[in-house]
Protein backbone atom coordinates (compact mmCIF):
# COMPACT_ATOMS: atom_id res chain seq x y z
CA UNK A 1 0.00 0.00 0.00
CA UNK A 2 1.47 3.38 -0.95
CA UNK A 3 1.75 6.30 1.46
CA UNK A 4 -1.32 8.42 2.04
CA UNK A 5 -0.72 11.82 0.43
CA UNK A 6 -0.50 15.18 2.14
CA UNK A 7 0.31 14.55 5.75
CA UNK A 8 -1.06 17.59 7.50
CA UNK A 9 0.69 18.67 10.62
CA UNK A 10 -0.41 18.53 14.20
CA UNK A 11 -3.26 16.49 15.52
CA UNK A 12 -5.23 18.47 18.07
CA UNK A 13 -6.30 17.33 21.49
CA UNK A 14 -9.79 16.06 22.18
CA UNK A 15 -10.55 16.83 25.80
CA UNK A 16 -13.77 15.35 27.17
CA UNK A 17 -14.80 16.44 30.66
CA UNK A 18 -17.62 15.07 32.82
CA UNK A 19 -19.62 13.91 29.84
CA UNK A 20 -23.08 12.59 30.67
CA UNK A 21 -25.68 11.33 28.21
CA UNK A 22 -29.20 10.38 29.18
CA UNK A 23 -31.59 9.29 26.46
CA UNK A 24 -34.22 9.05 29.19
CA UNK A 25 -34.12 11.49 32.11
CA UNK A 26 -32.45 10.00 35.16
CA UNK A 27 -31.05 7.00 33.24
CA UNK A 28 -27.53 7.93 32.19
CA UNK A 29 -25.90 5.84 29.48
CA UNK A 30 -22.62 7.77 29.81
CA UNK A 31 -21.83 8.62 33.43
CA UNK A 32 -19.24 11.31 33.89
CA UNK A 33 -16.74 10.35 31.19
CA UNK A 34 -13.47 12.31 31.21
CA UNK A 35 -10.90 11.49 28.55
CA UNK A 36 -8.09 13.30 26.78
CA UNK A 37 -6.95 12.01 23.40
CA UNK A 38 -4.08 13.82 21.76
CA UNK A 39 -1.62 11.21 20.59
CA UNK A 40 -1.56 10.21 16.92
CA UNK A 41 -2.62 6.67 16.10
CA UNK A 42 -5.40 4.36 17.18
CA UNK A 43 -7.07 4.66 20.54
CA UNK A 44 -9.45 1.69 20.84
CA UNK A 45 -12.61 1.82 22.90
CA UNK A 46 -13.70 -1.62 24.05
CA UNK A 47 -16.60 -2.72 26.21
CA UNK A 48 -19.70 -4.89 26.21
CA UNK A 49 -22.72 -4.28 24.05
CA UNK A 50 -24.87 -1.47 25.34
CA UNK A 51 -22.17 0.13 27.47
CA UNK A 52 -22.25 3.40 25.55
CA UNK A 53 -19.32 3.20 23.12
CA UNK A 54 -21.34 4.33 20.11
CA UNK A 55 -23.08 6.93 22.23
CA UNK A 56 -19.67 8.37 23.14
CA UNK A 57 -18.64 8.60 19.47
CA UNK A 58 -22.02 10.06 18.59
CA UNK A 59 -21.73 12.70 21.31
CA UNK A 60 -18.34 13.75 19.92
CA UNK A 61 -19.67 14.22 16.39
CA UNK A 62 -22.97 15.45 17.79
CA UNK A 63 -25.17 12.90 16.10
CA UNK A 64 -26.62 12.87 19.61
CA UNK A 65 -26.69 15.79 22.02
CA UNK A 66 -24.78 15.35 25.27
CA UNK A 67 -26.83 15.93 28.43
CA UNK A 68 -23.94 17.70 30.20
CA UNK A 69 -20.17 18.04 30.13
CA UNK A 70 -17.76 19.44 27.59
CA UNK A 71 -16.05 18.05 24.49
CA UNK A 72 -13.20 20.37 23.58
CA UNK A 73 -11.46 20.00 20.23
CA UNK A 74 -8.79 22.56 19.40
CA UNK A 75 -10.30 25.07 21.83
CA UNK A 76 -13.92 24.65 20.68
CA UNK A 77 -16.57 22.99 22.85
CA UNK A 78 -18.32 20.68 20.40
CA UNK A 79 -21.02 19.99 22.99
CA UNK A 80 -22.27 23.57 22.73
CA UNK A 81 -22.27 24.11 18.98
CA UNK A 82 -25.34 24.51 16.80
CA UNK A 83 -26.12 25.32 13.18
CA UNK A 84 -23.33 26.62 10.96
CA UNK A 85 -20.72 26.48 13.74
CA UNK A 86 -21.50 22.79 14.24
CA UNK A 87 -21.33 22.15 10.48
CA UNK A 88 -17.91 23.80 10.35
CA UNK A 89 -16.63 21.86 13.36
CA UNK A 90 -17.83 18.57 11.88
CA UNK A 91 -15.51 19.10 8.93
CA UNK A 92 -12.70 18.39 11.35
CA UNK A 93 -14.16 15.03 12.41
CA UNK A 94 -13.68 12.25 9.88
CA UNK A 95 -16.31 9.53 10.39
CA UNK A 96 -15.93 5.87 9.49
CA UNK A 97 -19.02 3.72 9.99
CA UNK A 98 -19.70 0.01 10.46
CA UNK A 99 -22.03 -0.02 7.44
CA UNK A 100 -19.78 2.35 5.46
CA UNK A 101 -22.53 4.96 4.78
CA UNK A 102 -21.55 5.40 1.15
CA UNK A 103 -23.93 6.87 -1.40
CA UNK A 104 -24.60 3.63 -3.23
CA UNK A 105 -25.65 5.10 -6.57
CA UNK A 106 -22.62 7.38 -6.83
CA UNK A 107 -19.22 6.36 -8.13
CA UNK A 108 -16.33 5.60 -5.84
CA UNK A 109 -14.54 8.85 -6.68
CA UNK A 110 -17.72 10.87 -6.06
CA UNK A 111 -18.05 9.20 -2.67
CA UNK A 112 -14.49 10.19 -1.77
CA UNK A 113 -15.21 13.74 -2.92
CA UNK A 114 -18.18 13.81 -0.55
CA UNK A 115 -15.50 14.33 2.11
CA UNK A 116 -15.15 17.86 0.72
CA UNK A 117 -18.85 18.73 0.93
CA UNK A 118 -18.31 20.74 4.10
CA UNK A 119 -15.72 22.87 2.31
CA UNK A 120 -17.36 23.76 -0.99
CA UNK A 121 -20.12 26.33 -1.61
CA UNK A 122 -23.64 24.90 -1.66
CA UNK A 123 -24.00 25.28 -5.45
CA UNK A 124 -20.90 23.20 -6.02
CA UNK A 125 -22.14 20.57 -3.59
CA UNK A 126 -25.50 20.40 -5.37
CA UNK A 127 -23.94 20.06 -8.80
CA UNK A 128 -21.09 17.94 -7.45
CA UNK A 129 -18.60 20.20 -9.24
CA UNK A 130 -15.50 20.06 -7.11
CA UNK A 131 -12.29 22.06 -7.56
CA UNK A 132 -9.62 20.38 -9.73
CA UNK A 133 -7.26 20.15 -6.77
CA UNK A 134 -9.86 18.20 -4.78
CA UNK A 135 -10.44 15.82 -7.66
CA UNK A 136 -6.72 15.18 -8.08
CA UNK A 137 -6.38 14.54 -4.38
CA UNK A 138 -9.36 12.18 -4.33
CA UNK A 139 -7.70 10.09 -7.06
CA UNK A 140 -4.43 10.08 -5.13
CA UNK A 141 -6.23 8.98 -1.97
CA UNK A 142 -8.02 6.20 -3.80
CA UNK A 143 -4.68 5.02 -5.10
CA UNK A 144 -3.26 5.06 -1.59
CA UNK A 145 -6.06 2.86 -0.24
CA UNK A 146 -5.53 0.38 -3.07
CA UNK A 147 -8.58 1.32 -5.13
CA UNK A 148 -7.00 3.29 -7.94
CA UNK A 149 -8.72 1.13 -10.56
CA UNK A 150 -12.17 1.49 -9.01
CA UNK A 151 -12.70 5.24 -9.28
CA UNK A 152 -15.56 5.09 -11.78
CA UNK A 153 -17.31 2.03 -10.36
CA UNK A 154 -20.57 2.55 -8.55
CA UNK A 155 -20.24 2.12 -4.81
CA UNK A 156 -22.88 -0.62 -4.79
CA UNK A 157 -20.56 -2.82 -6.86
CA UNK A 158 -17.87 -2.99 -4.16
CA UNK A 159 -17.17 -5.60 -1.48
CA UNK A 160 -17.45 -4.65 2.18
CA UNK A 161 -13.70 -4.25 2.55
CA UNK A 162 -13.50 -2.07 -0.55
CA UNK A 163 -16.40 0.04 0.71
CA UNK A 164 -14.67 0.57 4.01
CA UNK A 165 -11.52 1.71 2.17
CA UNK A 166 -13.65 4.25 0.33
CA UNK A 167 -15.15 5.30 3.67
CA UNK A 168 -11.65 5.85 5.07
CA UNK A 169 -10.52 7.78 1.96
CA UNK A 170 -13.64 9.97 2.30
CA UNK A 171 -12.82 10.66 5.95
CA UNK A 172 -9.21 11.58 5.11
CA UNK A 173 -10.47 13.80 2.28
CA UNK A 174 -12.00 16.00 4.97
CA UNK A 175 -8.54 16.88 6.33
CA UNK A 176 -9.77 15.89 9.78
CA UNK A 177 -8.11 16.68 13.09
CA UNK A 178 -9.58 13.47 14.45
CA UNK A 179 -11.05 10.31 12.93
CA UNK A 180 -13.94 8.58 14.69
CA UNK A 181 -14.55 4.99 13.62
CA UNK A 182 -17.65 3.26 14.99
CA UNK A 183 -17.11 -0.51 14.74
CA UNK A 184 -15.35 -0.24 11.36
CA UNK A 185 -14.55 -3.97 11.16
CA UNK A 186 -17.72 -5.54 12.57
CA UNK A 187 -19.15 -6.34 9.12
CA UNK A 188 -15.87 -7.66 7.69
CA UNK A 189 -14.06 -11.00 7.60
CA UNK A 190 -10.98 -11.46 9.83
CA UNK A 191 -8.38 -10.81 7.12
CA UNK A 192 -10.13 -7.73 5.79
CA UNK A 193 -10.57 -6.50 9.36
CA UNK A 194 -6.81 -6.64 9.83
CA UNK A 195 -6.27 -4.70 6.59
CA UNK A 196 -8.75 -2.02 7.64
CA UNK A 197 -7.15 -1.64 11.07
CA UNK A 198 -3.74 -1.34 9.38
CA UNK A 199 -5.10 1.37 7.14
CA UNK A 200 -6.61 3.28 10.07
CA UNK A 201 -3.32 3.02 11.96
CA UNK A 202 -1.55 4.34 8.86
CA UNK A 203 -3.95 7.28 8.64
CA UNK A 204 -3.21 8.17 12.27
CA UNK A 205 0.54 7.87 11.82
CA UNK A 206 0.90 9.69 8.54
CA UNK A 207 -1.54 12.48 9.26
CA UNK A 208 -0.41 12.81 12.86
CA UNK A 209 -3.95 12.63 14.22
CA UNK A 210 -5.79 10.46 16.75
CA UNK A 211 -8.09 7.75 15.40
CA UNK A 212 -10.71 6.79 17.96
CA UNK A 213 -12.04 3.32 17.16
CA UNK A 214 -14.95 1.46 18.80
CA UNK A 215 -14.22 -2.19 18.45
CA UNK A 216 -15.49 -5.49 19.84
CA UNK A 217 -12.48 -7.53 18.82
CA UNK A 218 -10.08 -7.24 21.76
CA UNK A 219 -7.24 -9.02 19.93
CA UNK A 220 -7.41 -6.52 17.07
CA UNK A 221 -7.60 -3.64 19.53
CA UNK A 222 -4.49 -4.88 21.33
CA UNK A 223 -2.64 -5.39 18.05
CA UNK A 224 -3.27 -1.98 16.51
CA UNK A 225 -4.11 0.47 19.28
CA UNK A 226 -1.45 2.41 21.13
CA UNK A 227 -3.93 2.91 23.92
CA UNK A 228 -7.04 1.08 25.05
CA UNK A 229 -10.01 2.63 26.79
CA UNK A 230 -12.18 -0.01 28.44
CA UNK A 231 -15.74 0.99 29.24
CA UNK A 232 -18.29 -0.72 31.42
CA UNK A 233 -21.77 0.53 32.28
CA UNK A 234 -21.09 4.00 30.98
CA UNK A 235 -17.80 4.65 32.78
CA UNK A 236 -14.14 4.21 31.86
CA UNK A 237 -12.65 1.33 33.88
CA UNK A 238 -9.33 0.94 32.01
CA UNK A 239 -7.25 3.52 30.19
CA UNK A 240 -3.75 2.52 29.28
CA UNK A 241 -1.45 0.64 26.92
CA UNK A 242 -2.51 -2.68 25.38
CA UNK A 243 0.30 -4.46 27.21
CA UNK A 244 -1.20 -3.41 30.52
CA UNK A 245 -4.64 -4.84 29.76
CA UNK A 246 -4.84 -7.94 31.97
CA UNK A 247 -7.49 -10.63 32.30
CA UNK A 248 -8.59 -8.94 35.51
CA UNK A 249 -9.34 -5.77 33.51
CA UNK A 250 -11.24 -7.76 30.90
CA UNK A 251 -13.25 -9.40 33.67
CA UNK A 252 -14.09 -5.96 35.03
CA UNK A 253 -14.96 -4.59 31.59
CA UNK A 254 -17.02 -7.51 30.31
CA UNK A 255 -18.01 -9.12 33.61
CA UNK A 256 -17.26 -12.67 34.76
CA UNK A 257 -14.32 -14.78 33.67
CA UNK A 258 -15.73 -18.05 32.29
CA UNK A 259 -15.95 -16.63 28.76
CA UNK A 260 -12.17 -16.13 28.63
CA UNK A 261 -11.35 -19.86 28.91
N1 LIG B 1 -31.32 6.80 20.30
C1 LIG B 1 -31.42 6.13 21.46
N2 LIG B 1 -32.51 6.27 22.25
C2 LIG B 1 -32.61 5.62 23.42
N3 LIG B 1 -31.67 4.78 23.90
C3 LIG B 1 -30.57 4.59 23.16
C4 LIG B 1 -30.39 5.26 21.90
N4 LIG B 1 -29.19 4.87 21.39
C5 LIG B 1 -28.65 4.01 22.30
N5 LIG B 1 -29.48 3.85 23.34
C6 LIG B 1 -29.22 2.99 24.52
O1 LIG B 1 -28.02 3.41 25.11
C7 LIG B 1 -27.29 2.30 25.58
C8 LIG B 1 -25.89 2.34 24.98
O2 LIG B 1 -25.98 2.09 23.55
P1 LIG B 1 -24.71 2.20 22.61
O3 LIG B 1 -25.16 1.89 21.24
O4 LIG B 1 -24.02 3.48 22.84
O5 LIG B 1 -23.83 1.02 23.20
P2 LIG B 1 -22.56 0.31 22.57
O6 LIG B 1 -21.61 0.10 23.69
O7 LIG B 1 -22.06 1.04 21.39
O8 LIG B 1 -23.19 -1.09 22.13
P3 LIG B 1 -22.79 -2.03 20.87
O9 LIG B 1 -21.41 -2.49 21.16
O10 LIG B 1 -23.79 -3.15 20.95
O11 LIG B 1 -22.93 -1.21 19.64
C9 LIG B 1 -28.08 1.06 25.22
O12 LIG B 1 -28.82 0.66 26.36
C10 LIG B 1 -29.01 1.55 24.13
O13 LIG B 1 -30.21 0.83 24.15
Amino acid sequence: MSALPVASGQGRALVIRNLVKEYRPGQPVLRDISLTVSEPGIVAIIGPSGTGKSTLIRCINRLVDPTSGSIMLGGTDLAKLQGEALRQARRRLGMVFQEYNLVERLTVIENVLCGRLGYVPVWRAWTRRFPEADIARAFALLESVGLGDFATRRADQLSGGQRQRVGIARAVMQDPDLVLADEPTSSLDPKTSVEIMELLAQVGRERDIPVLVNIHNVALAKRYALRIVGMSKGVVVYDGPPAGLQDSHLAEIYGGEGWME
Side-chain angles (χ1 to χ4, degrees), residues 48-128:
S49 239
T51 202
K53 304 180 302 295
S54 295
T55 299
L56 175 59
I57 295 260
R58 287 167 162 259
C59 282
I60 297 169
N61 67 16
R62 290 289 308 281
L63 287 174
V64 302
D65 290 332
T67 303
S68 61
S70 62
I71 304 171
M72 304 298 294
L73 182 68
T76 304
D77 188 354
L78 301 175
K80 296 201 166 45
L81 297 181
Q82 298 292 343
E84 179 58 21
L86 178 57
R87 193 181 91 95
Q88 296 233 355
R90 277 201 182 120
R91 302 193 307 201
R92 296 156 54 200
L93 303 171
M95 279 299 298
V96 175
F97 301 89
Q98 177 180 351
E99 295 299 336
Y100 327 118
N101 284 26
L102 303 184
V103 185
E104 297 285 308
R105 65 185 171 77
L106 294 184
T107 61
V108 165
I109 195 75
E110 285 173 314
N111 269 282
V112 177
L113 281 162
C114 283
R116 299 308 292 173
L117 283 177
Y119 290 91
V120 298
V122 173
W123 69 268
R124 270 196 194 266
W126 272 101
T127 56
R128 300 207 302 273

Side-chain angles (χ1 to χ4, degrees), residues 21-24 27-30 46-58 64 98 182-183 214-216 231:
K21 173 60 188 175
E22 298 175 348
Y23 290 105
R24 293 186 196 85
Q27 297 178 27
V29 167
L30 299 179
I46 62 169
S49 239
T51 202
K53 304 180 302 295
S54 295
T55 299
L56 175 59
I57 295 260
R58 287 167 162 259
V64 302
Q98 177 180 351
D182 198 358
E183 300 190 21
N214 273 356
I215 186 162
H216 278 296
M231 285 179 63

Side-chain angles (χ1 to χ4, degrees), residues 197-218:
M197 287 299 282
E198 267 172 10
L199 187 56
L200 287 170
Q202 185 186 339
V203 166
R205 236 181 3 253
E206 293 185 357
R207 301 195 60 82
D208 197 23
I209 56 173
V211 179
L212 202 54
V213 180
N214 273 356
I215 186 162
H216 278 296
N217 186 323
V218 176

Side-chain angles (χ1 to χ4, degrees), residues 119-212:
Y119 290 91
V120 298
V122 173
W123 69 268
R124 270 196 194 266
W126 272 101
T127 56
R128 300 207 302 273
R129 289 171 67 183
F130 291 89
E132 286 299 320
D134 285 354
I135 293 168
R137 186 146 167 266
F139 275 105
L141 269 173
L142 265 187
E143 199 69 50
S144 74
V145 299
L147 291 177
D149 294 337
F150 290 78
T152 57
R153 290 265 191 100
R154 267 173 61 132
D156 57 9
Q157 295 172 3
L158 301 186
S159 70
Q162 290 167 336
R163 282 170 200 227
Q164 198 56 293
R165 286 170 184 276
V166 176
I168 292 169
R170 177 182 58 189
V172 173
M173 194 71 199
Q174 278 178 244
D175 274 331
D177 292 333
L178 171 70
V179 170
L180 302 169
D182 198 358
E183 300 190 21
T185 61
S186 293
S187 303
L188 302 173
D189 68 57
K191 177 167 173 280
T192 310
S193 297
V194 163
E195 291 167 0
I196 290 300
M197 287 299 282
E198 267 172 10
L199 187 56
L200 287 170
Q202 185 186 339
V203 166
R205 236 181 3 253
E206 293 185 357
R207 301 195 60 82
D208 197 23
I209 56 173
V211 179
L212 202 54

